[in-house]
Amino acid sequence: MSAEPEPKPLRVVIVDDTADLRELLRLALVRGGMRVVGEAGDGRAGIEAVRIGRPDVILLDLSMPVMDGLEALPHIRALAPHARIIVLSGFGATQMAERALEVGADGYLQKGASLGRILDHIRDIVEGRSINPAPRTGNRPEGWDEQQHGFGAVNHVPGQRDPMPEEPARWDALALAPFGIIEVSAERPYRIVRLNPAAQKLVEVHPLYPGTPLQDVAPELATTIAENRLRGDIEFEATSGAEPVQVTLRHSGSSLVIYLRAITDEVGKLRSAIATTAHEIRGPVAVLCAVAETLTDAEEGDLDAAQQARLMSSVARQSRMLDSITADLLTAAQIQRGTLRVEPHNLDPVALMETLVQDRYPGSVTVDVADSRQVIADPLRLEQMIGNLLSNAHKYGRPPIVLRTRPCDSHPEQLCIDVEDDGVGVPEQFRAQLFREFSRASGTVAAGTGLGLHVVRTLAEAQGGSVSYADAPGGGSVFTLTLPAVTRS
């Protein structure tokens, strides 16, 4: 009898914007007997990698630049209808992962899971032994009517304003909530199903009736929800009535529930900053844990010298990212207390820039030197400022990214350092708030601590310089840092 043929190894494509994490996943997959046939750092490139690689399994990050995982997922499913798609969700993004299940994913894993667990999960999904639970719809209270999208039926005739129906007892508790709650239909024009008094006060339109399109009473809020509703449960800032509000959008069956909280108070801003900072820290920590696991589990000969060197480079990069986050938090605290100190002296900015790019962004940032003068600056603070601007370009812009020194046209005694990207630029209505503490543009998914640009502005001014924003000539953003230059003798 002939021996049974060896089963072919699973073919895997990895789509994640963190190169260090892709490296660790690749090592773990190969060690687990699988074959990595493609990698990509954004959804659009991921679609192409799937088209070329024809994989059995796709590991798909959800939060990526250019095109995120949710947007790319239907295209990937069409290209690989029989492949297993497992999404990788960030810290606290379970609801977003569940949204991915609804639109075609086969399972999900939260980033930070052990590499061994990831391998086991892939095998379970492929062999049909285990899948993630179906998207949760929550425990529906008595009287919930899915077809009517919420608590009780709201039969609205277009053009007719119906009186607010009698409030069911289960809504009474929500009526007392100190934050606003609006339930709307899940599709445009997002007709109001019901809302509590706090929401009525924040929207500042009286009276409100069931069936009213949200666009009629809170147009900015409705537009922002339309832009983000497919991203799962998210938080963002918007204007409702006369004041800014923190908005949390949650999917509930066939409706959307909007939570509104005024953010004029500093405590509210602090809470938001803590939440987003925790999310930022989670990514580097996940990579560091995976490196430790890889090195601990590796047997002699598993890793060659080049692989070990790359792992150590990953540790260094992710540690610097954590250091950058904590540096911004510390600097913000020093600014608040009035204890910020800088120690400027003559230094070569080009050497600092080249080292910074090589350490953190090798191959993804071009250094262009049009002015080689020294500047008068604190070297640690200059590294922090340029690092924040480059981080901002990577999060919100698109390549190519250029870091440039040039003479300042209107101030020859200063040197300008530009960070230019090819993204969509900063919305006109947000530019006045761009460098404020904890500011984020309305309609964007929260990312970062909200401190980076504020820290850049404060540090620049403390050293006799400034920072500004302009549209790039061909589209995109240009952030310009100006500093006193050393006069050539």
Side-chain angles (χ1 to χ4, degrees):
M1 294 178 62
S2 60
E4 291 186 7
E6 288 283 333
K8 293 183 179 180
L10 289 173
R11 297 165 58 86
V12 184
V13 165
I14 306 169
V15 187
D16 192 288
D17 64 338
T18 303
D20 291 335
L21 186 56
R22 294 200 305 270
E23 167 86 5
L24 290 159
L25 288 171
R26 182 172 63 250
L27 288 173
L29 293 166
V30 171
R31 184 187 296 172
M34 303 178 198
R35 182 183 172 196
V36 177
V37 296
E39 294 184 30
D42 63 73
R44 186 173 299 161
I47 294 171
E48 182 66 10
V50 169
R51 186 188 67 80
I52 295 172
R54 304 177 67 85
D56 305 302
V57 176
I58 300 108
L59 297 180
L60 178 65
D61 187 18
L62 291 181
S63 179
M64 294 182 292
V66 183
M67 178 186 288
D68 66 28
L70 278 179
E71 187 178 355
L73 204 156
H75 303 282
I76 291 173
R77 174 53 74 203
L79 283 171
H82 302 296
R84 300 295 190 178
I85 303 174
I86 302 173
V87 298
L88 303 173
S89 64
F91 179 61
T94 303
Q95 297 292 335
M96 190 174 177
E98 290 175 351
R99 179 63 180 162
L101 292 180
E102 293 177 358
V103 295
D106 296 288
Y108 69 85
L109 280 167
Q110 192 170 92
K111 285 187 178 180
S114 69
L115 295 174
R117 182 185 167 198
I118 291 174
L119 290 178
D120 290 342
H121 190 72
I122 292 173
R123 295 188 185 102
D124 288 344
I125 290 286
V126 169
E127 296 172 15
R129 291 195 299 265
S130 173
I131 60 172
N132 291 103
R136 292 175 298 177
T137 56
N139 295 321
R140 301 303 191 211
E142 181 183 355
W144 178 271
D145 186 339
E146 290 287 1
Q147 292 184 341
Q148 295 297 335
H149 312 312
F151 290 102
V154 178
N155 298 316
H156 176 76
V157 178
Q160 176 181 336
R161 289 293 176 90
D162 301 325
M164 184 70 79
E166 183 179 352
E167 297 285 337
R170 56 188 159 269
W171 188 260
D172 291 347
L174 297 179
L176 301 176
F179 48 85
I181 305 172
I182 307 176
E183 183 185 353
V184 299
S185 58
E187 302 296 335
R188 285 182 172 176
Y190 308 123
R191 294 187 184 277
I192 294 172
V193 177
R194 65 179 67 253
L195 74 166
N196 70 348
Q200 187 108 22
K201 180 178 179 181
L202 286 170
V203 174
E204 294 184 353
V205 176
H206 301 278
L208 284 178
Y209 297 92
T212 302
L214 188 63
Q215 179 72 31
D216 291 355
V217 295
E220 181 181 344
L221 182 58
T223 299
T224 306
I225 288 172
E227 293 170 351
N228 291 280
R229 72 178 186 87
L230 294 181
R231 294 179 177 269
D233 293 359
I234 60 167
E235 293 187 2
F236 54 88
E237 290 184 13
T239 300
S240 178
E243 62 180 317
V245 291
Q246 182 73 30
V247 182
T248 301
L249 177 64
R250 299 200 183 283
H251 292 75
S252 179
S254 299
S255 63
L256 303 175
V257 180
I258 306 161
Y259 298 86
L260 307 174
R261 178 178 53 79
I263 55 174
T264 53
D265 61 295
E266 293 300 318
V267 174
K269 291 183 178 181
L270 180 59
R271 287 172 178 164
S272 176
I274 290 172
T276 52
T277 300
H279 180 84
E280 287 294 289
I281 290 173
R282 182 73 174 189
V285 168
V287 172
L288 294 174
C289 290
V291 170
E293 182 184 353
T294 299
L295 294 174
T296 301
D297 294 345
E299 298 180 1
E300 187 174 353
D302 281 353
L303 300 172
D304 59 31
Q307 289 172 325
Q308 292 183 40
R310 286 198 297 271
L311 290 180
M312 290 301 99
S313 295
S314 295
V315 170
R317 264 191 303 275
Q318 300 302 321
S319 297
R320 280 191 289 268
M321 288 179 64
L322 288 174
D323 182 66
S324 176
I325 293 169
T326 55
D328 281 351
L329 292 171
L330 178 60
T331 301
Q334 291 171 336
I335 293 169
Q336 289 289 340
R337 294 197 302 265
T339 59
L340 179 67
R341 293 183 59 186
V342 294
E343 298 179 2
H345 57 263
N346 295 4
L347 63 89
D348 179 4
V350 175
L352 184 149
M353 289 160 49
E354 290 176 340
T355 300
L356 179 62
V357 169
Q358 183 59 37
D359 284 347
R360 301 190 195 180
Y361 305 104
S364 64
V365 176
T366 301
V367 177
D368 178 17
V369 181
D371 190 333
S372 59
R373 287 180 295 171
Q374 291 190 336
V375 295
I376 304 170
D378 183 318
L380 293 178
R381 298 303 191 179
L382 180 56
E383 180 178 346
Q384 185 177 2
M385 289 187 290
I386 296 175
N388 283 0
L389 293 176
L390 287 174
S391 175
N392 191 73
H394 277 81
K395 286 176 182 173
Y396 303 108
R398 286 198 299 262
I401 296 173
V402 179
L403 177 58
R404 176 188 303 109
T405 63
R406 61 176 175 83
C408 293
D409 297 333
S410 56
H411 297 87
E413 74 283 3
Q414 292 186 322
L415 179 138
C416 286
I417 300 174
D418 295 333
V419 175
E420 181 175 344
D421 67 66
D422 196 34
V424 298
V426 177
E428 180 73 34
Q429 66 272 20
F430 181 67
R431 295 179 188 180
Q433 309 172 48
L434 191 55
F435 297 99
R436 293 180 187 172
E437 190 178 27
F438 301 135
S439 286
R440 292 184 189 84
S442 174
T444 60
V445 176
T449 61
L451 292 171
L453 294 179
H454 171 69
V455 164
V456 172
R457 186 196 70 181
T458 305
L459 289 178
E461 292 174 353
Q463 297 173 88
S466 63
V467 65
S468 60
Y469 168 83
D471 292 327
S477 301
V478 180
F479 285 86
T480 299
L481 174 66
T482 66
L483 291 169
V486 177
T487 304
R488 293 192 177 106
S489 56

